Each structure stands twice: as C-alpha cells, then as structure tokens.
C-alpha cells in the first residue's frame, strides 16, 4: 500500500474510533490547550469546592446538561434568561426546578478573567457534569471533548416537545431518544443518573392515587414502596414535597438505581417503563455490575454531549452565560 493511501486509512480509523466512543469529529479532547490551558482545571477546582459543600450538585449538573442537550443541542441555551420579548427554556415548567446556575456563572467568571472570550458556557456545563460526579471517586468517569459554541436562541415553547416526560411509556421514550440520535442502551444507561437526586411528588403521585383515572394505584409499583411514598406525598396535588429517586443512596453515584428497578421501586413511570421491554430489561440487569455501568455511562454521556453541537464559526462565545451577545 502506498504511504498516502496508508495515511488516509489511518485518518479514517482514528475518526471512526472517536465516533465509536461518542466523540464528535467537531469536538476534541483538550480543545483549549493552546488558547486557555487552565480552563478545565479552573472549572474542576470550583466545581469540587462547591460539591464538597453541597452533595446535591452532581444530580443537578447532569440534569442541566441533559436538559440543555435535548433542546437545540448542547449549546448552553438552557442558561439564557428570558427577555421582554421571549420566554427562555429555563422558565418553562420542566426546567423551573433546575439549579446550579450560580456555580456555572462562578466558573465562567473565573475563566473569563484567565482567558476572555475563549471558553463557551456550553462546554462549562459539560465539564461541570463530569467534574461534579468525579468528586465522589476523586477521578473522572469519562472524558469531555470540548469545542462547543453557545447558541443565541432559547424558547420555553420548545422544551415540552423535546424533554422526555416522567410520565412517558417505553415507546415514547425510545422515540424521544431516537430523535436525538440515541438508542435504547443510551436510554437505559442515562436513566441510571436517577441513582442521585430527588423527584417532586406531582411527577409520580398519579401512580399512588389515580393511575388510570379511577382512584387506583399503579399495579407495577411495589406495594410496600407505594405505601411509603403516600406518607411523603399525601395528595396528588402536592407540588412542593420531594423524595429521593433512589431511596437508600440518593447522593451516591452507584448502580442502586437498577437494583430498585428490579424490585419495582422505580419512582417515575419512565423508570418503570424500562422493564416493559425485553431488551431494555436485559440491559437493566447488565447495569447492576458497577464496572459495566460506569463505563457505559461515560460513553453515553459523551454521546449525549455531541447532540446538535455548534462549532467553528456557528453561534457565539458568551461572556455572561445568561445573556446573548454579552
């Protein structure tokens, strides 16, 4: 084989390796190595400092990254504030419980001081998700290719049609994920993020009090667990009370989510839905192995982090994450 042909083959194999492991050809590891070499360390240090004081942040940052990527792609649009003429994503009902924006702003401010106008807010969100989970293990579970740019549009009206609902059945969930280039395995693995964090009563209390509109409970929900949940969520109209999504280890990133799923203790309909399909159910069992889950979760997060990314000259680099053109 001629050397030129061999070079082409090598370039192809390298690019395919990146795609197989969830890396967009438009993004790359250490994107800011020359333009802002300390950017990732600055983000890491601030996020770890904050997580040390607030162990709820990992769940919040994974959710923020997920909600950002599923609407208009991973472009930081979830960070934008509403304006007089437009209601932004963060003010839509599914996003009203998002938090952690102050930490993103702190990271952005510190990086701007080091390297003005270089690092995108969308990359900071992706790094915060990775680094916040890493705190528990004192090492990252996945790498984050960077190079995203920030979007300039954020519409509350687009959230409901793109963010998967906790009331969704399996068919709907699969379609939601397929619309973003994600498959059933990604659905099962990313759902494992529910091993940390909380759920609001109104997002699952229909399973306790009025599942089919006849004042009945969801028969697929563990009866003993349902009785416990009723002591926390005393009515279907309760919109303020929260309960852990993983009742015994809600701040530990582990495989216990899959353990409780197999016991029919998944909190949301969308959790229970993973057991209604044979392939999905088999994947749930495989995720009981922590090594398998951690590896696959990292791959799925990198794949999710590629959804609809803006690169090159598209979008912008915001100086303030909540304001377009800042």
């Amino acid at each position: 084989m001629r050397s030129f042909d061999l070079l082409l083959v090598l370039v192809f194999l390298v690019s395919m390796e990146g795609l197989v492991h969830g890396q967009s050809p438009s993004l790359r590891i250490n994107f800011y190595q020359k333009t802002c070499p300390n950017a990732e360390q600055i983000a890491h240090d601030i996020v770890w400092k904050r997580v040390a004081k607030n162990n709820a942040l990992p769940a919040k940052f994974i959710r923020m990254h997920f909600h950002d990527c599923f609407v208009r792609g991973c472009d930081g649009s979830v960070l934008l504030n509403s304006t007089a003429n437009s209601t932004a994503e963060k003010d839509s009902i599914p996003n009203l419980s998002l938090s952690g924006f102050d930490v993103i702003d702190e990271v952005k401010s510190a990086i701007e001081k080091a390297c003005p106008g270089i690092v995108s807010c969308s990359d900071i969100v992706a790094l915060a998700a990775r680094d916040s989970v890493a705190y528990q293990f004192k090492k990252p579970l996945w790498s984050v290719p960077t190079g995203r740019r920030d979007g300039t549009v954020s519409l509350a009206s687009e959230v409901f049609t793109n963010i998967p609902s906790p009331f969704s059945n399996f068919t709907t969930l699969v379609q939601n994920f397929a619309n973003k280039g994600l498959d059933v395995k990604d659905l099962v693995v990313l759902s494992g993020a529910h091993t940390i964090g909380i759920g609001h009563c109104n997002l699952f209390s229909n399973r306790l009090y009025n599942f089919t509109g006849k004042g009945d409970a969801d028969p697929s929900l563990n009866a003993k667990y349902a009785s416990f949940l009723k002591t926390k969520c005393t009515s279907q109209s309760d919109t303020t009370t929260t309960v852990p999504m993983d009742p015994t280890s809600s701040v530990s990133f582990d495989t216990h989510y899959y353990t409780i799923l197999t016991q029919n203790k998944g909190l949301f309909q969308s959790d229970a839905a993973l057991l209604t399909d044979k392939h999905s159910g088999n994947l749930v069992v495989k995720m009981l192995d922590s090594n398998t889950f951690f590896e696959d979760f990292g791959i799925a997060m990198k794949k999710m982090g590629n959804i609809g990314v803006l690169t090159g000259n598209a979008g912008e680099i915001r100086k303030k994450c909540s304001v377009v053109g800042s």
Side-chain angles (χ1 to χ4, degrees):
M1 182 179 290
R2 293 178 301 172
S3 59
F4 178 72
D5 293 335
L6 180 60
L7 178 62
L8 288 177
V9 170
L10 288 173
V11 169
F12 173 76
L13 289 175
V14 169
S15 63
M16 285 303 294
E17 192 274 339
L19 291 173
V20 167
H21 290 87
Q23 180 172 328
S24 165
S26 302
L27 305 178
R28 65 175 185 269
I29 301 295
N30 296 323
F31 179 85
Y32 300 108
Q33 189 167 23
K34 293 182 179 180
T35 57
C36 192
N38 295 325
E40 293 198 24
Q41 189 63 48
I42 292 171
H44 167 279
D45 291 349
I46 292 173
V47 169
W48 276 33
K49 177 190 71 175
R50 289 294 207 106
V51 173
K53 297 177 180 178
N54 182 359
N55 59 12
L57 284 174
K60 295 180 184 300
F61 286 136
I62 290 178
R63 186 163 179 252
M64 182 188 292
H65 189 28
F66 182 92
H67 281 225
D68 183 34
C69 291
F70 265 66
V71 183
R72 291 189 168 266
C74 311
D75 66 345
S77 56
V78 76
L79 305 173
L80 289 171
N81 288 338
S82 295
T83 65
N85 299 319
S86 179
T87 304
E89 292 171 30
K90 67 162 62 169
D91 289 323
S92 66
I93 291 174
N95 286 340
L96 291 177
S97 57
L98 291 179
S99 59
F101 296 112
D102 58 322
V103 184
I104 300 298
D105 289 341
E106 183 181 347
V107 173
K108 179 61 172 173
S109 179
I111 291 178
E112 281 297 306
K113 289 180 180 177
C115 322
I118 299 296
V119 180
S120 68
C121 297
S122 47
D123 273 343
I124 290 172
V125 172
L127 291 168
R130 188 268 309 272
D131 292 341
S132 60
V133 173
Y135 180 79
Q136 174 185 327
F137 303 93
K138 300 300 181 265
K139 64 177 183 180
L141 295 186
W142 67 93
S143 57
V144 175
T146 45
R148 298 167 188 81
R149 287 171 65 86
D150 298 324
T152 58
V153 177
S154 182
L155 300 172
S157 58
E158 295 182 340
V159 173
F160 272 110
T161 55
N162 285 283
I163 298 293
S165 165
F167 303 105
S168 293
N169 61 27
F170 183 75
T171 302
T172 302
L173 289 169
V174 170
Q175 188 59 59
N176 285 153
F177 275 65
N179 290 343
K180 308 301 175 184
L182 303 175
D183 58 24
V184 171
K185 184 174 182 180
D186 298 318
L187 165 61
V188 173
V189 172
L190 291 174
S191 294
H194 285 181
T195 193
I196 51 178
I198 58 176
H200 285 75
C201 286
N202 59 304
L203 298 181
F204 62 85
S205 56
N206 68 307
R207 302 183 72 199
L208 307 176
Y209 296 108
N210 198 27
F211 187 60
T212 65
K214 299 177 181 179
D216 54 343
D218 182 351
S220 72
L221 183 62
N222 180 287
K224 188 175 181 180
Y225 186 46
S227 296
F228 165 76
L229 291 174
K230 284 183 177 181
T231 67
K232 302 295 182 180
C233 307
T234 56
S235 77
Q236 194 172 341
S237 59
D238 184 346
T239 60
T240 56
T241 304
T242 62
V243 299
M245 288 189 286
D246 184 345
T248 57
S249 62
S250 63
V251 295
S252 176
F253 193 83
D254 53 33
T255 62
H256 197 252
Y257 167 78
Y258 299 104
T259 300
I260 63 173
L261 266 192
T262 61
Q263 298 169 351
N264 296 315
K265 296 178 182 178
L267 192 62
F268 303 124
Q269 281 177 246
S270 58
D271 294 319
L274 301 183
L275 298 179
T276 62
D277 173 81
K278 183 177 180 180
H279 175 49
S280 174
N282 288 337
L283 288 170
V284 166
V285 174
K286 288 183 179 180
M287 292 305 120
L288 291 168
D289 178 80
S290 58
N291 290 330
T292 299
F293 171 55
F294 292 157
E295 180 180 355
D296 287 345
F297 188 81
I299 292 171
M301 285 294 287
K302 288 168 70 176
K303 191 174 176 182
M304 185 188 80
N306 292 332
I307 298 172
V309 293
L310 301 174
T311 58
N313 294 319
E316 63 176 6
I317 302 295
R318 294 182 216 136
K319 286 184 170 57
K320 188 175 181 182
C321 290
S322 60
V323 181
V324 171
S326 55

